[in-house]
Amino acid sequence: MFAILLGAPGAGKGTQAQLLMKKYGIPQISTGDMLRSEVAQGTALGKQLHEIMTRGDLVPDALIMQIVEKRLQAPDCFNGFILDGFPRTIPQAEELSKFLKYKMHIDITVVDISVQDDVIIDRLANRRVCGTCKKVYSLTVNPPIVDGKCDRCDGELKHRADDQVETIRKRLNVYHDNTAPLIRFYRNKKLLHRVNGLQKVDDVFRDVEKCFNMNKNAKEGYTTGRAVVEAPMN
Ligand code: AMP
């Protein structure tokens, strides 16, 4: 399974990527996590990244491509990977297409998880992430048993600096200007599938899996050509 999960920040890409990783044993490649880990190391680059990310802006394409291309050449990616939060701009998507064509010779399934802005703002403002095991909580939907503590590992729950309402709005603007055009980009390439991200996590997962199965069936000749599937938006 080679997958790109598209969607606004907070659409549920990370949650779905983790479920896919668990079920299919292939790595989740989250550029956001990779950048946060650089920030945590406190390097000069990490400090620059921290500034950009806290503002809600995008990190320059060239730097992102360097990080991703290196990561995709690691042996654990040979049988599949799930890209979460990448690509985020048309130039990133174009570079990725070239890279996949010349270096990896693979086709990729693209799934856009659609969620409206007002829901995103609510979700991210209430999101808390365990600083240790990275489990994600929602103060409204699945709050921790003990305030501020992770149920799984007792780690401290953090409110990401970029999950403050003003920064969320900025990230959404950045998403609409730079990332949403990828929906058309991949639709034109007949690679796009869409699922309704407003459903319960398990139902979103069921629909995400359907997209991969449809693509597989299309390749095996059960349908004519590559399916462009618009999963029903309930
Ligand atoms: P995320 O965890 O995916 O929401 O990413 C957090 C932040 O990291 C974003 O707001 C950007 O500043 C940066 N970032 C993550 N992925 C990318 C990317 N593919 N291109 C540019 N910036 C990125």
Side-chain angles (χ1 to χ4, degrees), residues 101-164:
K101 190 164 169 209
Y102 296 116
K103 291 255 183 193
M104 302 195 80
H105 315 284
I106 53 156
D107 277 338
I108 198 151
T109 302
V110 182
V111 182
D112 176 56
I113 304 176
S114 314
V115 176
Q116 300 101 291
D117 287 7
D118 53 338
V119 178
I120 295 280
I121 293 173
D122 195 55
R123 275 191 190 175
L124 292 186
N126 286 296
R127 175 163 79 174
R128 298 293 180 274
V129 184
C130 172
T132 310
C133 77
K134 310 291 174 219
K135 184 171 158 73
V136 178
Y137 294 82
S138 158
L139 297 184
T140 46
V141 181
N142 65 327
I145 298 166
V146 178
D147 218 19
K149 291 273 173 203
C150 177
D151 301 349
R152 189 156 70 187
C153 73
D154 210 33
E156 196 186 327
L157 299 190
K158 305 228 156 114
H159 191 193
R160 270 171 51 172
D162 57 353
D163 279 349
Q164 311 294 330

Side-chain angles (χ1 to χ4, degrees), residues 1 17-28 75-82:
M1 174 185 294
Q18 289 198 1
L19 292 172
L20 289 167
M21 179 169 73
K22 210 164 151 194
K23 180 157 177 184
Y24 296 95
I26 49 175
Q28 167 193 18
D76 67 331
C77 289
F78 291 171
N79 291 324
F81 50 74
I82 308 143

